[in-house]
Amino acid sequence: MVKLVVFDVDGTLVDSQHLIVEAQRRAFSEHDLPVPPRKEALSVVGLSLPDAFRRLVGEAGPIESLSHSYRHAFQALRIDPDYEEPLFPGMAELVERLHRREDIQLGIATGKSRRGVDHLIDKHGWDRWFATIQTADDAPSKPDPTMLHQAMREAGAEPSMTIMIGDTTYDMMMAKGAGVAAVGVGWGYHSPGALFGAGAVTVVDSATSLGDLFSGSLDASRTGSMTERLGFS
């Protein structure tokens, strides 16, 4: 059976926190609104822009205008060398290793735009590495499970053979809603405790620890769901 490993992007693959916080600062300043504290700014990472700003300013706020300003600021910052978006340590090697395995397909499910994901893929030479790519342009915002439903349909994978890897409660809740195993990463924007509370079967603290999940159970000829193969049920 197809095994599908789906990655979130910001906070999971990519350390984009400085760029995100600065783009938010510029958007709020342009609207003469109080700039959210860093922790609050990062708490909405993973949501689509309208949903993120809805949480930050409320339904009555200038949601669409803030989203437009943020996109403009983000695109400008992306070419600024002071606001690089590096991959987290070890993630480039892990993605490449999983890509080379014949028993695994890779996917992406992110609140980023399709344009942002295309930039990431071009930058890291990941063209054709992912069997499915779901973005904020393709589906409702996390934690709605539509992204994962679409990803599984495109990859030909069943929920029992799919795993979602992310750093926020939105990722864990999306996975739970889609009936797939959820693994949290501890280097992102939500705490391990919050990730467990939202449905994570485990939270790893490094790319090495994440890779270890796949080097053992999945390599063995075990039967059962991804959760069972990873040793969590």
Side-chain angles (χ1 to χ4, degrees):
M1 297 179 68
V2 173
K3 304 177 187 73
L4 177 61
V5 179
V6 183
F7 286 96
D8 169 56
V9 175
D10 292 318
T12 300
L13 291 174
V14 176
D15 186 1
S16 50
Q17 59 181 309
H18 302 303
L19 196 154
I20 290 169
V21 169
E22 177 60 16
Q24 276 196 29
R25 187 194 69 77
R26 294 186 183 189
F28 275 83
S29 297
E30 187 176 314
H31 288 76
D32 295 320
L33 292 171
V35 178
R38 186 181 190 86
K39 184 176 181 179
E40 186 177 356
L42 293 175
S43 72
V44 297
V45 174
L47 298 174
S48 66
L49 285 182
D51 277 16
F53 284 118
R54 191 170 287 112
R55 293 202 179 204
L56 292 175
V57 300
E59 289 286 353
I63 295 167
E64 290 303 320
S65 182
L66 277 169
S67 299
H68 176 78
S69 296
Y70 178 92
R71 290 189 191 97
H72 185 269
F74 198 95
Q75 290 166 14
L77 289 165
R78 182 175 282 151
I79 61 176
D80 186 334
D82 290 335
Y83 290 94
E84 184 183 1
E85 292 182 282
L87 295 177
F88 283 102
M91 293 306 287
E93 295 80 4
L94 176 59
V95 170
E96 181 173 4
R97 179 154 58 88
L98 294 178
H99 163 64
R100 294 183 182 281
R101 284 180 53 162
E102 295 183 356
D103 62 333
I104 286 177
Q105 291 194 85
L106 297 179
I108 283 175
T110 176
K112 292 178 90 68
S113 67
R114 174 69 61 165
R115 179 177 180 177
V117 174
D118 288 345
H119 175 82
L120 174 73
I121 287 174
D122 289 344
K123 179 179 179 180
H124 296 288
W126 289 346
D127 186 43
R128 302 179 186 274
W129 283 28
F130 294 90
T132 178
I133 296 173
Q134 305 299 320
T135 74
D137 299 335
D138 310 313
S141 177
K142 301 173 184 178
D144 186 288
T146 300
M147 283 190 191
L148 285 177
H149 289 315
Q150 292 178 169
M152 289 185 285
R153 185 164 57 249
E154 288 185 6
E158 296 294 329
S160 64
M161 300 303 291
T162 300
I163 184 170
M164 177 69 205
I165 299 170
D167 71 297
T168 69
T169 56
Y170 315 125
D171 297 310
M172 305 299 102
M173 293 165 65
M174 177 176 66
K176 185 176 181 179
V180 310
V183 168
V185 300
W187 55 80
Y189 305 139
H190 289 184
S191 71
L195 297 178
F196 277 118
V201 295
T202 189
V203 178
V204 297
D205 60 5
S206 68
T208 298
S209 298
L210 181 57
D212 287 345
L213 296 181
F214 300 101
S215 63
S217 300
L218 287 181
D219 285 335
S221 298
R222 294 181 60 184
T223 59
S225 69
M226 282 287 249
T227 306
E228 292 168 331
R229 287 168 183 259
L230 292 169
F232 299 111
S233 68

